[in-house]
Amino acid sequence: MIDIEAKSEALSSALERHLGVKGRSLAQQVKRAGHRLPRRLRAQAQLVAEADALRGNPRLLRQLGDDRVVQAFSDVSAHLAGIDRAEARRGRILSILAAIAFNLILLFTALVILGRLRGAI
């Protein structure tokens, strides 16, 4: 028998630490994580959340299968361990700055073309 409560707490804290997702329950955190988790891992995290919700009913919990829950927990934990929030933040900032620079280049080019057509340049 696996310790579902410990695994769900560990996964909950990993979601908060690596993705910045908060929630009252693991299921709510997985839902809020949304597309920041790949589809397969989102389904596996949902499986762990479902096991957490069923931990008070051992018969229903057994239907999920201990091996599936342990594998799902280890897969999601391994993925979350590879995420660096600071690196993701830097990537988003660089992406925004690149978009701004591209738009400024387009604006400058449009102004030069407009100046040529009017004969000012």
Side-chain angles (χ1 to χ4, degrees):
M1 190 72 183
I2 58 175
D3 187 13
I4 296 293
E5 188 173 0
K7 292 199 181 305
S8 67
E9 287 296 322
L11 194 58
S12 176
S13 65
L15 280 170
E16 188 172 341
R17 188 175 345 105
H18 294 288
L19 294 180
V21 177
K22 295 181 182 179
R24 286 177 280 156
S25 66
L26 180 60
Q28 188 178 32
Q29 283 181 307
V30 170
K31 185 177 179 181
R32 286 185 178 172
H35 292 285
R36 287 184 269 179
L37 285 174
R39 182 180 297 157
R40 182 182 64 83
L41 291 175
R42 195 170 45 238
Q44 288 182 334
Q46 189 62 40
L47 177 72
V48 176
E50 188 178 338
D52 183 42
L54 293 176
R55 74 175 180 240
N57 192 337
R59 284 186 181 179
L60 291 177
L61 184 60
R62 248 185 284 139
Q63 289 180 357
L64 293 179
D66 288 348
D67 295 337
R68 284 182 51 207
V69 173
V70 169
Q71 183 64 40
F73 171 76
S74 64
D75 289 348
V76 175
S77 295
H79 176 75
L80 290 175
I83 295 176
D84 183 17
R85 278 180 76 182
E87 180 71 29
R89 189 179 310 118
R90 276 191 296 271
R92 280 194 308 272
I93 290 171
L94 285 176
S95 176
I96 290 169
L97 289 176
I100 290 171
F102 180 73
N103 287 333
L104 287 175
I105 290 170
L106 284 179
L107 177 66
F108 180 73
T109 304
L111 289 174
V112 168
I113 291 172
L114 184 65
R116 285 251 182 205
L117 290 175
R118 289 186 159 197
I121 297 179

